[in-house]
Amino acid sequence: ILKKKNEFFTQITLNGQKNLWIRDEMSINALRESGVVKPNIVLSSDAAFMLKPPSKDQVNILLAKCGIKKEEGRPLIGIAPRKWGSEDKAGVFARIADEMINRFNARVVFFAFHKDRDTKYINEICGRMTNRAHIISDRFLPSIIISPL
């Protein structure tokens, strides 16, 4: 929360709640520092861990829709990068992805959960890679898009 008026609206909105479920301590601390003091704040796990895993058929359908062919013996590694702050980590992601491809003969798939901003960042990462990676940026249900993971 960077602007005072946004901090004010956050306080008004969240202090009126009975409970908040937050995924990490850093976010809890940021809320407290922003003046969110009234609701009971509970540290909880990410709701994605509660999703029912899809069937192998659903996974294969998703991969086929995205042009990713099944290749026996080659691991499929999913990465969901997010540009965070002003620090440029695209080169780091690119080196890690290249290393997984070179060392493990893996296929790397980047997931754009927030299509517009994540896809732009993923394209930046792929532009720095020496190998080819796949990108899944179409809108699917969360339970489907996490299936290859």
Side-chain angles (χ1 to χ4, degrees), residues 102-117:
N102 294 332
R103 185 182 290 190
F104 303 111
N105 192 31
R107 295 170 297 145
V108 172
V109 178
F110 287 103
F111 292 89
F113 287 109
H114 294 271
K115 186 173 181 171
D116 296 332
R117 76 178 156 185

Side-chain angles (χ1 to χ4, degrees), residues 14-27:
L14 297 182
N15 280 330
Q17 304 305 309
K18 186 174 180 180
N19 294 297
L20 295 175
W21 287 269
I22 307 298
R23 298 186 300 191
D24 60 84
E25 296 272 348
M26 191 169 79
S27 297

Side-chain angles (χ1 to χ4, degrees), residues 29-49:
N29 292 336
L31 286 171
R32 292 289 187 215
E33 289 171 11
S34 295
V36 177
V37 294
K38 289 185 181 176
N40 179 36
I41 298 180
V42 179
L43 181 64
S44 67
S45 62
D46 192 315
F49 291 111

Side-chain angles (χ1 to χ4, degrees), residues 10-88:
T10 300
Q11 289 173 8
I12 295 294
T13 303
L14 297 182
N15 280 330
Q17 304 305 309
K18 186 174 180 180
N19 294 297
L20 295 175
W21 287 269
I22 307 298
R23 298 186 300 191
D24 60 84
E25 296 272 348
M26 191 169 79
S27 297
I28 291 173
N29 292 336
L31 286 171
R32 292 289 187 215
E33 289 171 11
S34 295
V36 177
V37 294
K38 289 185 181 176
N40 179 36
I41 298 180
V42 179
L43 181 64
S44 67
S45 62
D46 192 315
F49 291 111
M50 298 172 67
L51 294 172
K52 181 182 174 192
S55 69
K56 280 190 174 188
D57 288 339
Q58 288 174 308
V59 173
N60 291 333
I61 289 168
L62 171 67
L63 295 176
K65 281 183 180 179
C66 297
I68 303 169
K69 296 178 184 171
K70 186 176 180 180
E71 296 180 41
E72 293 297 326
R74 287 191 72 197
L76 187 64
I77 298 174
I79 302 172
R82 169 86 27 91
K83 189 170 189 171
W84 197 260
S86 60
E87 200 170 337
D88 181 15

